[in-house]
Amino acid sequence: MVSRNPHMAKLKAGYLFPEINKRKRAFLEKNPDAKLISLGIGDTTQPLEKHIAYSLTQAAFGLGTPEGYSGYGPEQGQPVLRERIAEKLYRNRIHSDDIFISDGSKCDIGRLQLLFGSEVSIAVQDPVYPVYVDTSIMMGQQEIIYMNCSPENNFFPDLSKLPRTDLIYFCSPNNPTGATANRAQLEQLVSFAKENKSILIFDAAYSMYIQDPTIPKTIYEIPGADEIAIELGSFSKMAGFTGVRLGWTVVPAKLEFEDGSLVKRDWDRIVSTCFNGASNISQIGGIGALDELGMAEMQNMVSGYLWNARKLRDLFVELGYPVVGGDNAPYVWVNFGEPSWDVFESLLCGAQVVATPGSGFGGAGEGFMRFSAFNSAKNTEEAVVRLRKHLTATKEVARV
Ligand code: PGU
């Protein structure tokens, strides 16, 4: 018999989103006619924009021709795509050589565990996207510090009270809260990492949703960040590529380990050893997404989802709930002040709306719900009507 990887036994039984699906299915079995609206998992739902979809079909078609055929690699990604990301998304603040194309940022979060191994200590925001913690536990990391992000500190941790950790994961615009860190806060974060000789892992998966021009879209807008920060990027939420799969990780050449060796060299080794590069079709789709037409299409897609976010945000403000997010992020984070899974059940049964329980993102998420804007405008409007009716009625009952 083979002994089980002991770290796997330390994880919570199931990953959050399959658990939500399980409950959704159980509800539908009992209520087969219910028309559920999902504002749960942050998964894009709207069709790809035309020019981006066309780029993908051309890539697939090209593979059927002698001139258009390609096989493996390069493992780091196609040079044109790396250059376009550097130019369009980083305004050449970052060299294309430091950009490694991947099959999505979730996969790269997993591979980052190989880069750092089991001995590092980490800090994460609480509430937090569960993947940073779960993959760290799988790797055997033991020291995990939770940085409380709540209304009391305006969703930015009090760095003066934090112990040093090797790695600091930070996500802005944040999943799940939808809060964004401003320039001054990011400057604090970069100097904190610098003073502590930590490495910052900055997740910018939702950067395209930032509308406020004063909020940095990448950590590399902060001077000195290229000496301490790795950044994760993704086409999932900006181009609708959650199923196509395309992302990237920036590992700047200036980033060093304690012994003076380059972090980038080890990352390159990992990428070339246990990943053979992202699909050639999705990479050509990414190149299309980053030309002039594609950029306009991505803006259009993002604006559509942000319209939904605004509708949801307005509803909860109108009903008097404390709300954050939804303005520069596709998530709306609402404080219900009641156990999250109870609210989940109440919204599921009473409004046939699925939302994500805040407690699934950590202790500081208890009492909150996350509403995702990744649905159609029509479904979002319908959800708003149902939620208003249900929540007004439950408030009336509570008052009686
Ligand atoms: N980073 C953050 C902060 C995310 O919220 C997500 C997706 C990803 C990375 C994954 O990006 P890919 O490039 O597509 O790999 N979060 C969604 C989906 C759930 C999940 O398990 O990834 C969410 O609902 O939180």
Side-chain angles (χ1 to χ4, degrees), residues 15-18 40-43 102-109 129-132 171-176 203-206 232-237 241-243 245-248 331 356 361 370 372 374:
Y15 183 57
L16 176 61
F17 295 103
I41 185 165
D43 188 4
S102 73
D103 51 350
S105 45
K106 190 173 184 172
C107 321
D108 268 353
I109 296 166
Y129 177 47
V131 177
Y132 315 134
C171 177
S172 177
N174 189 258
N175 175 16
D203 191 335
Y206 300 99
L232 298 160
S234 174
F235 282 82
S236 283
K237 311 300 162 72
F241 274 20
T242 50
R245 308 304 299 146
L246 189 66
W248 69 92
Y331 297 123
T356 308
F361 298 100
R370 187 192 80 172
S372 154
F374 292 114

Side-chain angles (χ1 to χ4, degrees), residues 54-117:
Y54 183 71
S55 308
L56 288 167
T57 55
Q58 284 301 97
F61 185 77
L63 287 176
T65 66
E67 319 70 62
Y69 181 75
S70 68
Y72 286 133
E75 294 93 344
Q76 298 78 1
Q78 297 190 4
V80 180
L81 179 57
R82 300 170 85 192
E83 278 154 25
R84 226 168 251 189
I85 292 174
E87 183 200 332
K88 295 289 173 71
L89 303 178
Y90 292 103
R91 295 174 193 234
N92 292 322
R93 272 190 189 94
I94 286 295
H95 196 279
S96 62
D97 242 26
D98 297 350
I99 298 171
F100 295 79
I101 307 299
S102 73
D103 51 350
S105 45
K106 190 173 184 172
C107 321
D108 268 353
I109 296 166
R111 286 187 281 263
L112 279 173
Q113 305 307 338
L114 286 178
L115 177 68
F116 293 110

Side-chain angles (χ1 to χ4, degrees), residues 240-371:
F241 274 20
T242 50
V244 174
R245 308 304 299 146
L246 189 66
W248 69 92
T249 293
V250 182
V251 186
K254 286 188 190 163
L255 220 63
E256 287 179 2
F257 286 114
E258 198 179 44
D259 65 0
S261 64
L262 297 188
V263 178
K264 180 179 163 179
R265 193 176 308 141
D266 282 2
W267 184 246
D268 190 82
R269 183 75 163 84
I270 287 172
V271 164
S272 12
T273 307
C274 57
F275 175 54
N276 259 336
S279 144
N280 44 14
I281 298 178
S282 57
Q283 292 193 69
I284 293 173
I287 293 171
L290 290 172
D291 67 18
E292 214 167 300
L293 260 177
M295 289 292 284
E297 287 188 341
M298 287 200 290
Q299 291 296 347
N300 192 45
M301 173 168 278
V302 164
S303 302
Y305 288 132
L306 279 174
W307 186 90
N308 299 343
R310 168 68 58 186
K311 290 279 156 192
L312 290 164
R313 186 188 163 96
D314 288 351
L315 167 76
F316 292 111
V317 170
E318 172 199 318
L319 297 177
Y321 290 90
V323 182
V324 63
D327 41 6
N328 293 293
Y331 297 123
V332 178
W333 185 243
V334 185
N335 191 350
F336 280 79
E338 287 167 47
S340 303
W341 280 109
D342 291 357
V343 181
F344 173 87
E345 290 294 336
S346 161
L347 299 183
L348 179 63
C349 301
Q352 272 97 68
V353 168
V354 177
T356 308
S359 56
F361 298 100
E366 182 58 285
F368 289 80
M369 295 298 287
R370 187 192 80 172
F371 292 85

